[in-house]
Amino acid sequence: MDYLTPWILTVIVEFIVIWIFIKNKPWKLLFYSVIVNSLTLPLATYTYFNILNNFLAIELMVIMIETVVLKYLLEIKYSKALLISICANGITAFIGYFLSLTFK
Amino acid sequence: MKTKIYISIILVIILAFNISFAFADVIEPGQKQVNLSYQISNINNFPYYVFLLHGTPSPNYEILNASEFSLYKLSTASIYAVKRSTFNKNILTQANESAVDEYFNNNSDVIHSNLQLEGGYGNVDSNNQLENATIILEIETINDTSLEIKKSKIIYGFTDGSTQEQVFTNNSTPVPNKTKYNSVDYLWFLVLPILAAITIAIVLLSKKKT
C-alpha cells in the first residue's frame, strides 16, 4: 500500500492553505503541516479501513482534531482554526476523491 | 445562537455516522473480495461415480474432476454423485433449468451429499494480504444412498505469493493467522502518529514556556 504519495500531497496542500490564512514563517507552517498530518492521516486511514468505513464521519473527526491542534500551534482563535481545517481537509478530500476516480 | 450551532454540529455528526453502507452485493470502498475455490482431493479414488455440482442460482450443473472449481459468490451449491453406469449426460444437456432441478431433487440415481458449499469467502479490508482461499474437500464414504464429504483443510493465498494451510478441526472455517500488516504498515499506522503526537506536545510545551 502506498502511504507516501497521499501523505506528501496532503502535507503540501494543507501547508498552502495554512499559509494563505497565516502568511508568516512558511518553513514553520510547513513543519506544522507535516506533524499535524503525520498524526491525523495514518489514524484516519486506519480507522477507515478497520473501524469505521464512513468517509464523511472520518473527515469530520479529522477536522475537529486538526482544529484543536492548529488553534494551539498557530495561536489563533478556534473559529479561524476551524475555517483553516475545513478548507484544508475539504480540498484534500476533493483531490483524493478526484484522484481515486481517475486512477481507478 | 451558540446552542443552535452546537445542535447543528451534533446533527451533522449523527447524520454522517448514519449514512449507512447498504450496498448488499456491492463491494464497499476500502474492501476487496477474496476468491474462494474448492477442490476434491480424492475424487480419483472413486472412478465408478460421476460427481456433479448443482447450485442456486448457479451452476445449473457441472461435472467435477480433480481440478479446482468455484461458484458465483452469492451461490450455494451441493455436490451430488451418480453411478457412472447409470449416468446419462444427455438428460442434463437437453434439460431446461427446472428439469435439471427436478433431476437433482427427485431422480433416484442421484446420491445427495451432506455438505452445502458457499460461493464467496467474503470481503476483507483492501490492505489485507489475504487474496484467495481454497477449501480442500475429502470424500469420506459413498454408497447407494449417501455421500459423505468433509472439509479437510483450507489453503490461504496471500498477495506476496505465500500460502498458508490450515486444517478444519470442527465446522468453523479456520482463520488465516498471517499478520495482517507488515512492518511498513506498523511504521505508518503506529510509529508515525506517536512521533507526531510527541512532537506536537513538545512544540506546545515550548510555546507555553516562552
Side-chain angles (χ1 to χ4, degrees):
Chain A
M1 194 174 181
D2 178 26
Y3 300 122
L4 206 59
T5 313
W7 181 81
I8 291 170
L9 199 67
T10 311
V11 165
I12 292 169
V13 170
E14 293 210 8
F15 157 68
I16 293 168
V17 173
I18 297 169
W19 185 74
I20 288 169
F21 279 91
I22 306 296
K23 285 193 175 150
N24 189 21
K25 298 179 181 172
W27 288 110
K28 199 172 179 179
L29 298 183
L30 179 62
F31 173 65
Y32 288 166
S33 180
V34 167
I35 54 174
V36 168
N37 286 295
S38 298
L39 175 71
T40 55
L41 194 59
L43 295 180
T45 315
Y46 184 85
T47 308
Y48 181 75
F49 284 129
N50 298 284
I51 300 166
L52 181 67
N53 196 222
N54 187 325
F55 185 73
L56 188 57
I58 290 169
E59 274 298 317
L60 282 172
M61 283 191 282
V62 169
I63 287 170
M64 284 192 283
I65 293 167
E66 288 195 6
T67 300
V68 176
V69 177
L70 288 174
K71 184 240 183 295
Y72 288 105
L73 283 177
L74 300 170
E75 294 170 295
I76 53 177
K77 286 182 180 174
Y78 264 121
S79 55
K80 195 170 183 178
L82 180 64
L83 187 61
I84 293 172
S85 184
I86 288 171
C87 289
N89 286 288
I91 292 167
T92 49
F94 177 77
I95 292 171
Y97 180 72
F98 178 75
L99 288 178
S100 71
L101 290 180
T102 310
F103 298 107
K104 212 170 185 179
Chain B
M1 184 65 186
K2 266 190 173 177
T3 316
K4 280 183 182 173
I5 293 169
Y6 289 138
I7 290 170
S8 304
I9 291 170
I10 290 164
L11 276 175
V12 168
I13 292 168
I14 290 169
L15 277 173
F17 277 83
N18 281 290
I19 296 172
S20 62
F21 289 84
F23 291 132
D25 184 26
V26 179
I27 299 170
E28 292 176 18
Q31 299 263 301
K32 67 175 181 181
Q33 191 184 317
V34 175
N35 296 324
L36 177 66
S37 54
Y38 296 90
Q39 188 172 27
I40 303 174
S41 61
N42 59 345
I43 194 167
N44 291 333
N45 295 348
F46 303 89
Y48 300 114
Y49 291 90
V50 175
F51 292 91
L52 300 160
L53 184 70
H54 170 67
T56 309
S58 65
N60 197 20
Y61 82 93
E62 187 179 325
I63 297 173
L64 299 175
N65 54 33
S67 305
E68 285 182 17
F69 61 92
S70 56
L71 312 171
Y72 168 58
K73 66 175 179 177
L74 296 179
S75 284
T76 51
S78 293
I79 295 172
Y80 301 84
V82 180
K83 278 186 179 168
R84 201 170 285 279
S85 56
T86 58
F87 179 63
N88 181 1
K89 194 181 174 183
N90 292 334
I91 295 174
L92 291 169
T93 51
Q94 290 163 9
N96 60 28
E97 207 169 304
S98 58
V100 171
D101 277 340
E102 175 73 16
Y103 174 80
F104 281 104
N105 291 328
N106 298 323
N107 192 305
S108 58
D109 291 340
V110 177
I111 305 160
H112 294 233
S113 71
N114 59 319
L115 201 62
Q116 195 165 55
L117 308 177
E118 298 297 329
Y121 179 85
N123 298 332
V124 295
D125 300 331
S126 55
N127 59 355
N128 195 314
Q129 291 185 68
L130 182 61
E131 195 166 55
N132 57 61
T134 305
I135 293 176
I136 306 297
L137 304 169
E138 197 179 305
I139 299 164
E140 288 192 299
T141 58
I142 182 165
N143 57 42
D144 288 351
T145 54
S146 75
L147 168 61
E148 295 281 330
I149 302 175
K150 73 165 186 179
K151 291 177 179 174
S152 63
K153 57 190 174 186
I154 184 163
I155 301 167
Y156 289 109
F158 300 94
T159 48
D160 60 3
S162 63
T163 58
Q164 187 179 79
E165 198 175 292
Q166 299 226 27
V167 176
F168 278 85
T169 47
N170 48 38
N171 283 333
S172 60
T173 307
V175 291
N177 56 21
K178 183 171 175 129
T179 318
K180 191 173 164 184
Y181 297 109
N182 57 35
S183 52
V184 177
D185 295 323
Y186 280 110
L187 273 177
W188 169 254
F189 288 127
L190 196 68
V191 178
L192 186 64
I194 288 172
L195 285 176
I198 291 168
T199 312
I200 290 168
I202 291 168
V203 171
L204 294 179
L205 283 173
S206 67
K207 274 179 183 285
K208 205 175 178 183
K209 276 182 184 173
T210 54

